[in-house]
Amino acid sequence: AQRVTQVQSTGSSQWGEVTLDCSYETSEYSYLILWYRQLFSGEMVFLIYQPSFDTQNQRSGHYSVVFQKSFKSISLVISASQPEDSGTYFCALSELSGYGNEKITFGAGTKLTIKP
Amino acid sequence: EAGVTQSPRYAVLQEGQAVSFWCDPISGHDTLYWYQQPRDQGPQLLVYFRDEAVIDNSQLPSDRFSAVRPKGTNSTLKIQSAKQGDTATYLCASSFPWGGAYEQYFGPGTRLTVL
């Protein structure tokens, strides 16, 4: 069964590096781990993804991940954080199926507060 | 290019009432998803379509929930006889053909409160 677990909330100060942790359960060999941010409007915005087969940690803008496949854990790292980075961040798992990676299982989200 | 649009943005019902949510995906996206997001939880997939066909509705409470996408474009999610436990935000998302999970584009959602 798929399961994704996240810390409920965390905080940091402006310009600091923030790490959001995520652990997951899957019995599949091929999968994606995705990170989304939910805006105050409710819209989910895709940030970055890590394929299970890729040993290289992915980077996108000021987001990067630290992928520890053997521990089934992944962290989202936000560099030079700003107050506008505050919000709820979701870790999600997508297992490869016959239709590709279409179904996503989300964690409960981590509420991040960045103080000026 | 217009994003995924949903209406209404908010709905307040008494238990036992029915409600419908409407979603217009991004033009050219063949796959459409409906998610339920209870407060302080992550979105949970209810059903998804490729064109007009249901691919997976295993998490859709079939006794009170129904979803259709008759022409493979817009979609309607309906709740018959709503319960307080249905209080949540209902998100619609769409993706390109074989776009993969990370290429799902989400709408702003419909926030439902059942009193």
Side-chain angles (χ1 to χ4, degrees):
Chain A
Q2 302 173 1
R3 180 176 291 182
V4 178
T5 303
Q6 297 181 252
V7 172
Q8 190 172 19
S9 62
T10 190
S12 182
S13 298
Q14 189 175 7
W15 299 113
E17 183 176 271
V18 175
T19 299
L20 305 180
D21 295 324
C22 171
S23 62
Y24 57 92
E25 296 176 18
T26 179
S27 56
E28 297 295 325
Y29 181 78
S30 293
Y31 53 88
L32 304 178
I33 302 295
L34 309 102
W35 285 92
Y36 284 82
R37 177 184 174 188
Q38 190 160 37
L39 306 180
F40 291 118
S41 66
E43 188 174 338
M44 299 287 284
V45 177
F46 167 74
L47 300 177
I48 191 170
Y49 79 99
Q50 176 74 45
S52 60
F53 58 79
D54 195 339
T55 58
Q56 186 171 5
N57 293 324
Q58 302 300 301
R59 299 185 66 89
S60 179
H62 78 141
Y63 300 107
S64 62
V65 298
V66 176
F67 183 42
Q68 297 181 292
K69 184 176 180 179
S70 60
F71 294 105
K72 289 196 169 74
S73 74
I74 187 166
S75 299
L76 177 71
V77 180
I78 306 173
S79 60
S81 61
Q82 298 296 312
E84 51 266 34
D85 290 321
S86 297
T88 302
Y89 289 78
F90 289 93
C91 177
L93 166 68
S94 181
E95 296 175 342
L96 184 65
S97 71
Y99 292 102
N101 292 92
E102 292 189 327
K103 293 178 65 174
I104 301 177
T105 299
F106 285 87
T110 296
K111 293 184 179 178
L112 173 65
T113 302
I114 305 295
K115 296 181 179 179
Chain B
E1 180 181 289
V4 176
T5 56
Q6 294 185 243
S7 65
R9 291 297 315 276
Y10 303 91
V12 180
L13 308 174
Q14 298 290 332
E15 272 199 321
Q17 289 186 306
V19 64
S20 293
F21 309 133
W22 180 82
C23 174
D24 187 6
I26 293 173
S27 178
H29 284 194
D30 70 339
T31 308
L32 184 147
Y33 309 79
W34 283 104
Y35 291 87
Q36 181 191 58
Q37 185 178 17
R39 184 177 177 84
D40 294 329
Q41 294 186 35
Q44 299 156 17
L45 181 67
L46 291 174
V47 58
Y48 79 101
F49 299 84
R50 177 165 299 106
D51 298 321
E52 67 276 7
V54 174
I55 303 301
D56 189 332
N57 63 358
S58 59
Q59 300 305 309
L60 192 69
S62 58
D63 57 335
R64 297 183 299 107
F65 285 65
S66 62
V68 294
R69 194 186 183 198
K71 297 183 179 179
T73 52
N74 302 335
S75 177
T76 302
L77 176 68
K78 184 174 183 179
I79 306 176
Q80 303 262 27
S81 189
K83 298 181 179 181
Q84 288 187 352
D86 299 331
T87 293
T89 297
Y90 291 83
L91 295 167
C92 179
S94 66
S95 67
F96 285 110
W98 299 97
Y102 55 92
E103 292 187 276
Q104 290 186 28
Y105 295 80
F106 284 80
T110 297
R111 191 169 296 180
L112 173 66
T113 301
V114 183
L115 303 175

